[in-house]
Amino acid sequence: CRALHERVLIPERAAGLQLSRESAQLVAVVAGSRFEFPECDCLVLPGAVDASPEELAAQFASKVMSCGALTVSAEPSLGESWVEINMSEGGQEKATIRRFISGGSAR
């Protein structure tokens, strides 16, 4: 979560968005408007089309599951655990993603 704290989140594949880098600045052009941010204050979300709670929760789940410490299970079984990621935006939009995990290899 520290990677997100006080950062400008920029979805890499947002419709109409053009990204470029100029002198340690991240330049975003969308709908004819140009925005410049210090690159160190930005986090470009790879493959993301928006920065909604649903998209962020999916990105987190993918990152957590890809670290290799956990493996995904297709369906829960008795005694199995899960990882649950909850995201909200100002208390209005909310998203929850749950991934069941197992101690062995992915099933």
Side-chain angles (χ1 to χ4, degrees):
C1 291
R2 283 189 179 124
L4 296 176
H5 187 67
E6 299 294 324
R7 302 287 287 274
V8 177
L9 303 179
I10 301 176
E12 180 182 60
R13 295 181 45 217
L17 176 68
Q18 297 173 352
L19 290 176
S20 62
R21 288 173 172 77
E22 298 175 11
S23 303
Q25 294 285 105
L26 188 65
V27 179
V29 178
V30 64
S33 296
R34 178 184 168 101
F35 303 92
E36 292 188 32
F37 306 98
E39 192 170 359
C40 63
D41 288 345
C42 298
L43 179 61
V44 176
L45 303 172
V49 295
D50 63 31
S52 67
E54 293 84 4
E55 184 80 42
L56 293 174
Q59 292 248 343
F60 278 131
S62 176
K63 186 140 184 118
V64 166
M65 300 313 288
S66 70
C67 74
L70 305 171
T71 54
V72 178
S73 174
E75 293 184 23
S77 62
L78 186 61
E80 199 162 53
S81 299
W82 67 84
V83 171
E84 184 173 282
I85 297 175
N86 297 289
M87 301 292 290
S88 68
E89 181 178 9
Q92 299 295 327
E93 266 190 83
K94 296 180 182 178
T96 300
I97 291 186
R98 182 179 289 175
R99 298 287 186 260
F100 293 94
I101 57 175
S102 62
S105 59
R107 300 185 271 163

